[in-house]
Amino acid sequence: MPYSEADTRANYIDPALKAKNWQPHNIRREYYFTDGRKLFGGKRGGRCFVDYLLIYNNTFIGLIEAKSEDKECTEGLQQANSYAQKLKVRFLYATNGKRIYEFDVQEGRGAFIDHYPTPEELFEKAIPRQTPLTEKLLQEPLYLSGDKPPRYYQEIAVQKVMEGIAAGKRRLLLTLATGTGKTVIAFQIVHKLLQSKWNLDGADRRPRILFLADRNVLVDQAMNTFNPYEKDIIKINGEEIRKRNGIVPTNAYIFFAIYQAIAEKEDIGGYYKNYPKDFFDAVIIDECHRGSAHEEGSWRDILNHFNGAVHIGLTATPKREANVDTYDYFGQPLYEYSLKEGISDGFLTPYKVKRIQTNIDQYIYTQDDQVVKGEVSKSLYGLGDFDRCIIIPDRTALIARTILENIRPLDKTIVFCVDQDHALNMRDTLNQYKTVKDPDYCVRVTSDEGIFGRRLLERFQDNDRYIPIILTSSQMLTTGVDARNVRNIVLCRTINSIVEFKQIIGRGTRVFEGKDFFTIIDFTGASELFYDPEWDGPAEPIGSGSGGPKGPKTPPKSGDEGGNEEDPPPQPYERLEVRLSNGRRLKVTNIETRFIGADGRPLTARQFLEELVKVLPGLFEREEDLRAMWANPDLREKLLKDLSAKGFDSEHMESLTQMLHAEESDYFDLLAYLAFNRGIITRRQRASKVKEDKAYFDGYDQARAKQFLQFVLDRYEKDGVKELSREKLPQLIRLNQMGTPKEAANYFGGIQNMISAYYELQSRLYQF
């Protein structure tokens, strides 16, 4: 009898690795490195795992794919190759115990070998052009605490930065989607640098590191992440410097600051100039796409001053025209992890889009309408003009009511508005129509709200608090705000920048228990950016001279903290405000729901159907196969799980019934229609045909048994196929007041007979 895969591991692979000095800490067996895509109903898709992940100096350097003795050793090579690329592992080994096949992912070729390399040999092959510093930085372990180790992509990102520093690079960039833990990565980078005593001098001392951001909320969140080093950190701001009689703090290893607090102001020199140019060994720039590398930006002055330090940029946005300066400055990212990957791996939450259109998405002024203030300056006002150039209170009211109708009352929601004034109007209008009485149910969070707004934001971020539920804002919440339980992102303004759009969408992607997806409610068509060719793609190659336009330098507001946490308001002007004539009735004209597809873009109704039709042949070949599977509760449950794993869960299926105007039909009929062009009938028609079969019911002696089966058909007719699952049987017995399952079984002549009758009923239900 040939060895199984488990035998191959125990009898061949483990002894062969031990013979080459692979120690337990060098091997992660059955390494699961993703959580599985989030599905509706708290379920998860399949997780990615490898049989063996080989590690040396805390670096992923190889993986092994094991097969049973009777299979070709390279049978699983293709899947293993995809995992190797995901894990950034250069060498993989496929084996059935008898033969070993080594494949070089980078070169794309392989060969059979007699034995595995030693850890040292494989490390030399996997990480070429090493320096003594390479091993020193890599071998320092990550900081581990609690039961949540760093995710695989976070380990890779830290590894790539260590390799870059060891190679002498001074400008390093990491591009990871919002919500994937860039601050955690920054902490691990700092931890390794401190523990290894790396510094630019090569001296026996810990480095000094500056962490820069452009918003206090980002700095405060980062400082919380760095809590294990609380004795070694300090925040540079006006208050701290005043306490020191005008002297900047130097007695720390990790320094935090928002650039407005230390940059030059109109009449004050920048605090950063009080530090020697060689004071910091490294500068970490959070959300660096927000201007840090712009040639004329305020952050650039700070980076130029500390030009000798290693500059590490963190961003969520692949290179685009809008942020080309960032990539010109830092170069190509050392590592990228996209939104699409995060959702597929299950580390980010999927989304659906509700595109809502009204009969006042355009406005033409007529003399029947009343101009309250301002002047009519154009003949046609479009979506980009509303609340920016023209205010129509009735339209604001329509949108506010529609928002409340499309969210659950206690689902945390962020409404993105045109500017701070629009956020104020939207807050007041939402509070006018809300049903929850709490005065803080809907609040505005913008820079004008100051400390009171930040306190409300902190309460919103607290997942143990229910209030506030709705935040209205414009720019302040687009970046870096970690609120994991956000269920709705509402777009009430046009967005022309993919960079900004990506940041806004990122407010909802964080994973939270019980949060299967979040909803983007779009009133302006901003979600069309999902279909832009640049959406969520890799960083574009950067050629020489790819500069892009340079914007003017915008000085921060006066004050120690700058206060520039909201984009500066435009020059004051009087907006046109119009009251519509009494005869004008405003209404929503269309709500289209779109779910995310495999490529990370929302699917239109047509695309959704096309994708589902492609999937079905892999699940069943003939109508008879589908009928047999659907008529058996156990097989039906497996089929539904297979559909979910391919991205079509019960939420999607429910939307499918709406698309086909088949709300009263069974999912079986929808699948049969799509796969075999079979006519759709209703659940009532299906149940009636069974009820009319007198001979079937006469087969049961007990009237109570017949009545129960009729009851099951009634429940199915009302609520659908979910009433027919195997787990539902005890509940149906209770609802029909038949006592316990054991008592109910007496009417059928025993438990097994009752279960058989339940299954037979479904067989008859789907026989036509």
Side-chain angles (χ1 to χ4, degrees), residues 377-397:
S377 60
K378 54 200 296 188
S379 57
L380 176 66
Y381 291 87
L383 286 169
D385 297 316
F386 290 116
D387 301 292
R388 185 174 283 110
C389 304
I390 180 173
I391 299 172
I392 301 177
D394 288 346
R395 182 180 185 275
T396 304

Side-chain angles (χ1 to χ4, degrees), residues 525-744:
S527 60
E528 296 302 312
L529 286 170
F530 279 121
Y531 305 108
D532 191 293
E534 293 185 341
W535 169 255
D536 208 33
E540 298 170 359
I542 300 174
S544 59
S546 60
K550 303 293 190 290
K553 177 175 177 178
T554 304
K557 294 180 181 178
S558 59
D560 291 330
E561 297 302 327
N564 193 23
E565 297 196 355
E566 188 91 17
D567 282 356
Q571 293 300 315
Y573 66 94
E574 188 174 48
R575 294 183 174 109
L576 171 65
E577 182 175 338
V578 173
R579 293 197 181 278
L580 302 177
S581 63
N582 292 334
R584 185 76 178 271
R585 296 180 63 85
L586 301 187
K587 62 181 180 179
V588 170
T589 57
N590 184 51
I591 300 179
E592 182 183 8
T593 300
R594 302 175 181 179
F595 289 93
I596 183 174
D599 63 353
R601 291 175 169 83
L603 299 174
T604 64
R606 180 186 179 91
Q607 291 169 328
F608 177 85
L609 291 175
E610 289 174 349
E611 290 297 315
L612 181 55
V613 169
K614 292 177 186 176
V615 163
L616 297 182
L619 301 175
F620 46 80
E621 293 183 1
R622 302 174 303 161
E623 184 179 338
E624 292 77 12
D625 299 332
L626 171 61
R627 192 184 307 281
M629 296 169 73
W630 203 261
N632 183 297
D634 303 322
L635 296 178
R636 182 173 62 241
E637 183 64 22
K638 182 181 183 304
L639 176 58
L640 288 171
K641 285 183 178 179
D642 290 342
L643 278 168
S644 290
K646 294 181 180 298
F648 300 95
D649 53 37
S650 57
E651 177 88 0
H652 293 81
M653 296 301 292
E654 196 60 36
S655 293
L656 178 60
T657 65
Q658 297 169 13
M659 291 179 196
L660 298 177
H661 305 290
E663 290 89 341
E664 304 301 319
S665 297
D666 194 303
Y667 293 164
F668 166 81
D669 290 286
L670 305 182
L671 295 174
Y673 167 74
L674 292 173
F676 309 111
N677 200 28
R678 189 182 183 281
I680 297 177
I681 63 175
T682 65
R683 295 192 300 271
R684 171 171 291 185
Q685 289 172 306
R686 213 170 258 293
S688 295
K689 284 185 177 291
V690 180
K691 290 177 181 179
E692 293 166 2
D693 189 349
K694 187 174 182 298
Y696 165 63
F697 286 101
D698 285 345
Y700 293 94
D701 297 331
Q702 294 280 349
R704 197 71 173 89
K706 298 176 187 179
Q707 188 274 335
F708 175 71
L709 295 174
Q710 294 273 359
F711 171 75
V712 173
L713 290 172
D714 290 339
R715 295 285 301 187
Y716 161 77
E717 184 180 323
K718 179 177 181 292
D719 293 325
V721 72
K722 63 184 179 181
E723 295 296 313
L724 301 180
S725 68
R726 175 67 178 83
E727 292 75 16
K728 197 79 174 181
L729 181 56
Q731 184 180 341
L732 290 169
I733 291 170
R734 288 194 300 272
L735 289 172
N736 198 231
Q737 299 179 349
M738 294 180 71
T740 66
K742 187 175 181 180
E743 291 169 334

Side-chain angles (χ1 to χ4, degrees), residues 82-128:
S82 69
Y83 288 165
Q85 293 181 50
K86 198 173 183 69
L87 291 166
K88 304 302 179 187
V89 169
R90 179 169 176 179
F91 291 95
L92 69 90
Y93 299 88
T95 181
N96 59 3
K98 294 181 176 179
R99 307 180 75 194
I100 304 171
Y101 187 80
E102 180 185 65
F103 187 77
D104 184 333
V105 177
Q106 183 174 306
E107 297 296 328
R109 61 173 178 263
F112 287 99
I113 58 175
D114 295 328
H115 51 74
Y116 299 104
T118 66
E120 294 79 9
E121 289 170 344
L122 186 54
F123 183 69
E124 288 288 336
K125 291 171 63 176
I127 313 292

Side-chain angles (χ1 to χ4, degrees), residues 248-286:
V248 295
T250 58
N251 58 331
Y253 292 106
I254 312 167
F255 298 75
F256 291 87
I258 63 170
Y259 80 84
Q260 298 96 324
I262 64 174
E264 268 189 301
K265 300 171 178 65
E266 294 178 3
D267 55 351
I268 307 174
Y271 288 131
Y272 72 88
K273 291 184 177 179
N274 294 344
Y275 289 97
K277 291 189 173 187
D278 60 355
F279 184 80
F280 293 110
D281 297 281
V283 181
I284 298 175
I285 308 98
D286 193 21

Side-chain angles (χ1 to χ4, degrees), residues 161-180:
V161 169
M162 295 301 108
E163 291 176 17
I165 291 174
K169 294 182 179 180
R170 291 298 178 93
R171 295 178 180 178
L172 313 170
L173 181 65
L174 296 174
T175 301
L176 297 100
T178 298
T180 53

Side-chain angles (χ1 to χ4, degrees), residues 169-173 281-285 302-313 329-330:
K169 294 182 179 180
R170 291 298 178 93
R171 295 178 180 178
L172 313 170
L173 181 65
D281 297 281
V283 181
I284 298 175
I285 308 98
I302 299 170
L303 296 183
N304 285 342
H305 183 75
F306 300 118
N307 191 48
V310 171
H311 296 169
I312 304 169
Y329 185 82
F330 288 102

Side-chain angles (χ1 to χ4, degrees), residues 131 163 355 414 446 475 568 578 584 633 662:
T131 67
E163 291 176 17
R355 175 67 177 99
I414 303 177
T446 63
Q475 297 290 336
V578 173
R584 185 76 178 271

